[in-house]
Amino acid sequence: MQLPTENSTARDQDTGREGTRRVHLVGSIPLADSDSVFRRVAEALGEHVRRVPDGETGKRRRWNSWTAPTYEQTPGLEPVPPPPGSYTPWPQARLTIAADDLVLARIGFADAALDSYARFAVLKAEGVIPAAVRFQVCLPSPVAPMTVLIEEGSRAAVEPAHLRQLHAEIGEILAGVPHDQLAVQWDVCQDVGIWEGFYPAYFDDRQQGVVDRLRDCAEVIPPDVEVGFHLCYGDFGHKHFMDPTDLGVATEMINRVTAACARPIDWFHVPVPIDRDDVAYYAPLAGLALTTQTELYVGLIHFDDGIDGARRRLASARRYVSEFGVATECGFGRRAPETIEPLLALHADVAALLA
C-alpha cells in the first residue's frame, strides 16, 4: 500500500483536509430530519469529520429500496414477486416494452440532495458546521436497484434507462451544490455480492463488469467534487447477505477500481464484522495500492462492544496498514434513534485512539 506520510500533511493543508479528521459516516442516521443530523454530527464530531451526510431520513431510511416507486410508476415495467429466499424480499419489476422505449420515472436523488444542501448551507453560514466540512450525497451504485428491484431477465435491458435518469439527477445536484462543498459516495453492496458469486451477474464478466460500472460511477463526478466508495456485505435485518472471509475481495476491488479510473478516488470504506478482531481478516490490506489522495476508512466501530472491541480490531488492522480512519461497518439507519448520540460519542473516542 502506498501510504500518505509527509505528503499527506501538505495535502491536508492545501485542501483543508485537516489531519485530525479521521471519522467517516457511511450515510443513514435515523433522526427526525437532515437539520437534526447536521446539528448532532457537528456537535459530536465537528473536529473529526471531513464530510457529513444528511442521514437519509424519512422515506429514504430503507436505502436502495425506497426508490421502488420509480419502477412501479414507469410505463413498460410491471411488478412481479421477488425470487424465493431473496435476501431483500421486495417486489421486483419486469420489462414489458422495448428497452429503447423505456423512460424511467423520476428517482428523487436530486430532490433530496438539494433540499438537504439548503439546510447544510444555512448551518455552515451560521458556523454550526465547520468550514472545511463537505456535504456528502450517498447514492446506491446502479447495480443495487438492478439486482434488488428488477427481475433477473430484465436487468441488462433496464440498466441504460436507469443510468440516463440517474445521470440527469446527478447533473441537477452538480448544478445546485458548489463543487467545493460537495462529496459523492457510491454505496457498493450488490456489486460485492456479484463479485463473490452470491448474486447472479447480468453482464458477461462478473468482476470486470463490476469494475467497469464503478469506474463509470467515479468518472461521472467531476474532479473538483470528491468521490468515494462504501463497500458492503449488506445490513438488512442486521445481517449480511454473506459473511466475508476476509478483506481480500475488498482489497482487490479497490485496487482494480483505482487502476481503472482516470480521476483520483478520495476515499474507500471497508466493512469489519463485529467478531473479526483476528489479524487474518485484515491481512489482505497489506496489498492495497492507494494513491496519496485516497483515504482508507475501516468500518471497525460497533455499538455493541464499544471502545474495547474497537481497540481490538484497531490493533489487528494496524498490523497491515498504518494510516486510516474509522467508521461503522454500515449506516446507522436500522438503529434505534436513542442510540445515535452514544454511537457518535463512540466515534470520537475511537478517533482519539488514532492520535
Side-chain angles (χ1 to χ4, degrees):
M1 174 183 179
Q2 184 177 357
L3 294 175
T5 54
E6 294 84 4
N7 290 336
S8 67
T9 301
R11 176 170 60 84
D12 288 341
Q13 292 172 348
D14 292 342
T15 64
R17 296 182 173 189
E18 294 87 339
T20 57
R21 299 184 185 276
R22 297 291 188 85
V23 168
H24 182 67
L25 298 173
V26 174
S28 56
I29 302 174
L31 298 177
D33 49 38
S34 60
D35 192 282
S36 300
V37 172
F38 295 143
R39 290 180 182 276
R40 297 281 185 87
V41 170
E43 181 179 0
L45 295 174
E47 66 180 286
H48 297 296
V49 293
R50 292 178 173 165
R51 312 163 190 96
V52 179
D54 71 356
E56 300 173 62
T57 58
K59 68 180 182 180
R60 292 186 296 138
R61 70 187 183 277
R62 293 192 334 184
W63 186 57
N64 171 60
S65 60
W66 77 269
T67 66
T70 295
Y71 307 97
E72 295 166 1
Q73 297 164 12
T74 295
L77 295 177
E78 66 174 12
V80 295
S86 177
Y87 170 67
T88 48
W90 312 118
Q92 297 185 334
R94 178 169 55 205
L95 183 66
T96 61
I97 61 175
D100 290 344
D101 295 333
L102 185 66
V103 178
L104 210 65
R106 190 166 181 83
I107 305 171
F109 291 133
D111 302 321
L114 295 175
D115 181 67
S116 292
Y117 177 70
R119 290 304 307 151
F120 178 93
V122 168
L123 293 175
K124 198 172 207 186
E126 294 175 351
V128 175
I129 297 173
V133 172
R134 291 190 181 222
F135 173 61
Q136 178 178 311
V137 173
C138 302
L139 300 172
S141 83
V143 169
M146 293 306 98
T147 302
V148 175
L149 300 175
I150 304 298
E151 66 93 21
E152 185 175 353
S154 300
R155 290 169 190 168
V158 172
E159 186 179 43
H162 173 81
L163 290 172
R164 288 192 293 272
Q165 182 59 37
L166 173 64
H167 291 173
E169 296 193 24
I170 289 173
E172 294 177 34
I173 296 170
L174 294 172
V177 181
H179 290 195
D180 63 357
Q181 299 294 303
L182 181 61
V184 174
Q185 174 177 280
W186 290 100
D187 297 336
V188 179
C189 180
Q190 281 68 34
D191 321 56
V192 176
I194 288 174
W195 194 290
E196 290 269 20
F198 179 85
Y199 289 110
Y202 58 93
F203 31 83
D204 291 338
D205 184 323
R206 75 173 193 275
Q207 293 185 1
Q208 189 59 46
V210 166
V211 170
D212 291 345
R213 284 161 174 77
L214 297 183
R215 176 204 62 210
D216 293 347
C217 285
E219 293 184 354
V220 76
I221 308 301
D224 56 349
V225 174
E226 291 186 346
V227 70
F229 292 94
H230 152 55
L231 305 185
C232 185
Y233 281 81
D235 192 40
F236 182 70
H238 290 299
K239 294 181 180 179
H240 302 305
F241 57 76
M242 63 174 287
D243 290 323
T245 301
D246 55 28
L247 284 170
V249 165
T251 297
E252 185 177 2
M253 290 181 71
I254 288 171
N255 289 350
R256 288 181 62 176
V257 171
T258 297
C261 287
R263 62 152 294 161
I265 308 302
D266 292 280
W267 77 92
F268 285 99
H269 166 276
V270 297
V272 178
I274 191 171
D275 60 347
R276 298 307 299 267
D277 56 15
D278 56 300
V279 295
Y281 183 79
Y282 308 86
L285 293 178
L288 273 177
L290 299 182
T291 70
T292 55
Q293 181 167 333
T294 306
E295 304 156 11
L296 174 67
Y297 291 95
V298 182
L300 52 76
I301 297 174
H302 286 273
F303 185 79
D304 289 349
D305 65 3
I307 192 71
D308 291 337
R311 185 179 284 110
R312 292 193 303 272
R313 291 183 285 273
L314 188 63
S316 294
R318 277 177 160 162
R319 296 278 297 273
Y320 302 99
V321 284
S322 59
E323 190 77 18
F324 59 89
V326 292
T328 48
E329 184 180 25
C330 196
F332 304 176
R334 290 149 295 279
R335 301 202 60 81
E338 61 269 19
T339 67
I340 298 308
E341 287 193 17
L343 182 55
L344 291 174
L346 176 61
H347 279 68
D349 291 341
V350 177
L353 300 176
L354 298 174

